[in-house]
Amino acid sequence: MTILQLKIASTEVHHTAIIVLGAVLGRLCKAELCHDEVGKAAISFLSHGAAHADDTTLLPFLIGLANAHIPSSVPVLLRHAAGASPQAAALSMAALQRLPAKFISAEAQISLLAISRGEGSTHDPAIRILAIETLLMSEPPYDIVRALLADLHNATSEMARFVLAKVAAMIRASHPVSLTIQKALRDPFIKNYDFFSRDGLSSACWGFISQANASNITYNLDILFSTNGLMRRSNMDVILQGHRDALLVSQVTLEAEGLQSIFGEGLDAGGEDTDATARMSALLFGVQLKPVEFFRGYGDLLSKIWSSTGEPTTAVKGLLSLSRHQQELVLGSGLTLILHGDVALGIDITGNIDVSIWNAKSKTVISSKGAVVVLATAAVVTENWKKGVEVTTDAEVQFDTTTTVHFSRSPYLICLQMERSTFPYRTLGSLRSSVAESDSFTDLQGMKGELANKNTWSC
């Protein structure tokens, strides 16, 4: 807060500070520590900034609010969700989706329903789709779910196709709203051949990356096309699910607007004539990062084509220490148990949009790579001996989502591919014991004394 009250010369640093403030505030509020004077001042700063910022400073304030996860931000986010800026509306919708369902009131659900119907100034199909997704995530009552599905009779083929695929994926994933959706689908007006046989390329799918007794890792892949056959939006989520909680590990979103102006195609129904724009945004462990823009406008696209090196654009790359824990426990027997644990993550998310006007082809690639290492040790110490166990677990995964469009003739030829590499998972463990030597112990990690017992296993 002190830094943000100063004049920061660099716009990039200023915007990053706002985004980081939102992320820190979100952590404090989760621990119920944001109700003091400083926390209230930070909430007021972000809310006021998002409500009154101009176009050049609005986006970092919206990202900051998205990271803060505060219920008081709902009115501001709803106002921008129904606004004229597609990027601001998309960020606002993403922020609303990540709020707990109890924060989305009945009045907010009615506002989202109006946006999904294209009422007011919101006509962009992608924003209307986001409004429908946000509504479904807020666990609405039966009447609203039925109204959403019934409205698809008047929607474009791509909108209807996407929502039906999304609804089917939510049912397969046993989302809390799935029972309400199934009840609405018993209505013969909604569940009929004419309704479910809509043409379209848009899709939504859900599946497992890995399954274990204690937790599962799942993915959601959503792709929305325009009526012209061009990709409008794609979204890839990786979710860690436990018995009670779910953690959105990462989310990568690619958005494209106005590409029909490059290829001489007409606008979508209800769409607006905007400059050709493509961008990518990433979310990591609940923290929204600043979007990366590939190009804006036809002139910028040509400039990027001529100067392109073919290398993908990095959205986020780094090594993260997720957890470090050390604890001493006195057992009922009087012995002392020393526990130590470290969890680290390496992640690399990149995206690339390659548009070849000469070959009449575009190719979009999103690559998500991640590796996690868990080191845990437990040792019992007495005056004369030590005995402990050390377990190291590591795993890595890579996803590549590729969309290729050939637009040399109509209808377009489109190829969708999602490739997942093998999911190597390894656990190494060792059991070690040592006795006192000259009133001292050898170190448990790098033991030099004689080992009384040592077992190693792997899977």
Side-chain angles (χ1 to χ4, degrees):
M1 288 297 296
T2 302
I3 292 173
L4 285 168
Q5 289 171 2
L6 304 174
K7 185 176 181 180
I8 303 176
S10 170
T11 302
E12 185 76 18
V13 173
H14 185 217
H15 290 178
T16 302
I18 295 172
I19 295 171
V20 170
L21 174 65
V24 174
L25 183 61
R27 296 283 294 185
L28 292 176
C29 291
K30 188 176 182 179
E32 299 183 355
L33 299 174
C34 64
H35 301 300
D36 59 8
E37 184 178 349
V38 177
K40 292 179 180 178
I43 292 173
S44 176
F45 174 80
L46 290 175
S47 300
H48 183 272
H52 299 92
D54 55 25
D55 293 340
T56 59
T57 57
L58 175 61
L59 294 184
F61 279 106
L62 289 177
I63 297 175
L65 280 182
N67 291 333
H69 307 290
I70 48 179
S72 59
S73 65
V74 172
V76 177
L77 294 173
L78 279 174
R79 182 157 59 84
H80 288 295
S85 169
Q87 188 174 9
L91 284 173
S92 299
M93 288 293 183
L96 290 169
Q97 286 184 17
R98 288 158 51 200
L99 289 173
K102 62 183 179 181
F103 292 163
I104 309 299
S105 63
E107 292 78 8
Q109 290 178 344
I110 292 174
S111 298
L112 289 170
L113 183 61
I115 296 173
S116 71
R117 291 172 170 172
E119 298 177 6
S121 60
T122 305
H123 304 290
D124 190 324
I127 302 304
R128 294 172 61 187
I129 286 287
L130 283 172
I132 294 173
E133 289 183 283
T134 306
L135 253 181
L136 292 175
M137 296 292 287
S138 69
E139 302 176 26
Y142 169 79
D143 292 342
I144 289 184
V145 173
R146 186 191 181 284
L148 279 177
L149 297 176
D151 287 342
L152 296 183
H153 282 278
N154 301 318
T156 63
S157 294
E158 291 297 339
M159 275 191 65
R161 184 75 175 179
F162 179 87
V163 174
L164 291 175
K166 187 71 177 180
V167 162
M170 295 181 81
I171 292 175
R172 288 195 300 271
S174 299
H175 190 274
V177 78
S178 61
L179 294 177
T180 309
I181 293 173
Q182 290 174 320
K183 180 180 178 181
L185 289 176
R186 296 190 187 105
D187 189 330
F189 175 75
I190 295 175
K191 190 174 183 180
N192 59 73
Y193 178 79
D194 179 66
F195 183 60
F196 279 92
S197 63
R198 303 289 291 273
D199 293 330
L201 301 169
S202 301
S203 63
C205 58
W206 171 91
F208 286 101
I209 297 175
S210 69
Q211 292 178 275
N213 292 330
S215 62
N216 298 321
I217 302 178
T218 63
Y219 70 88
N220 293 330
L221 175 61
D222 305 334
I223 302 179
L224 174 65
F225 287 91
S226 68
T227 54
N228 307 312
L230 298 172
M231 193 200 75
R232 180 65 178 82
R233 182 175 176 269
S234 71
N235 188 78
M236 175 74 174
D237 296 344
V238 176
I239 303 168
L240 176 62
Q241 293 180 321
H243 292 303
R244 297 182 179 179
D245 300 316
L247 173 66
L248 181 58
V249 177
S250 68
Q251 180 185 84
V252 183
T253 303
L254 259 176
E255 296 177 274
E257 304 168 16
L259 295 184
Q260 65 276 353
S261 63
I262 297 177
F263 308 126
E265 297 289 341
L267 298 176
D268 277 348
E272 297 180 3
D273 190 7
T274 58
D275 289 337
T277 305
R279 56 181 170 267
M280 175 176 63
S281 61
L283 185 147
L284 186 63
F285 289 99
V287 177
Q288 176 74 53
L289 307 178
K290 188 177 180 181
V292 177
E293 192 167 82
F294 293 110
F295 60 85
R296 178 177 292 275
Y298 184 68
D300 188 29
L301 172 60
L302 289 179
S303 175
K304 297 288 176 63
I305 289 176
W306 290 117
S307 61
S308 175
T309 61
E311 295 296 323
T313 301
T314 298
V316 58
K317 183 177 183 178
L319 299 174
L320 298 88
S321 177
L322 301 183
S323 176
R324 172 164 290 182
H325 179 76
Q326 187 162 336
Q327 186 176 7
E328 292 187 9
L329 299 175
V330 179
L331 304 180
S333 60
L335 300 176
T336 300
L337 177 66
I338 300 176
L339 301 174
H340 180 83
D342 284 301
V343 183
L345 174 74
I347 194 163
D348 184 7
I349 300 176
T350 60
N352 191 35
I353 295 181
D354 182 15
V355 180
S356 174
I357 299 177
W358 324 118
N359 297 325
K361 183 176 73 171
S362 69
K363 185 177 182 180
T364 302
V365 181
I366 298 176
S367 180
S368 303
K369 305 175 186 176
V372 64
V373 177
V374 180
L375 172 64
T377 62
V380 175
V381 181
T382 70
E383 293 182 357
N384 299 315
W385 56 270
K386 285 182 180 179
K387 190 163 188 176
V389 62
E390 177 182 303
V391 178
T392 303
T393 301
D394 58 84
E396 61 181 278
V397 67
Q398 177 176 348
F399 276 99
D400 290 330
T401 306
T402 305
T403 306
T404 306
V405 181
H406 295 268
F407 47 85
S408 56
R409 61 183 182 273
S410 184
Y412 297 145
L413 177 63
I414 299 175
C415 177
L416 302 177
Q417 293 176 295
M418 186 179 73
E419 300 178 47
R420 190 194 76 181
S421 64
T422 57
F423 188 75
Y425 175 88
R426 178 176 59 181
T427 297
L428 300 175
S430 60
L431 181 64
R432 301 181 180 185
S433 300
S434 64
V435 295
E437 296 179 359
S438 301
D439 298 327
S440 65
F441 286 99
T442 54
D443 182 63
L444 185 63
Q445 298 288 339
M447 194 172 299
K448 299 179 181 178
E450 181 180 358
L451 298 181
N453 188 9
K454 180 177 179 181
N455 297 315
T456 303
W457 67 91
S458 63
C459 62

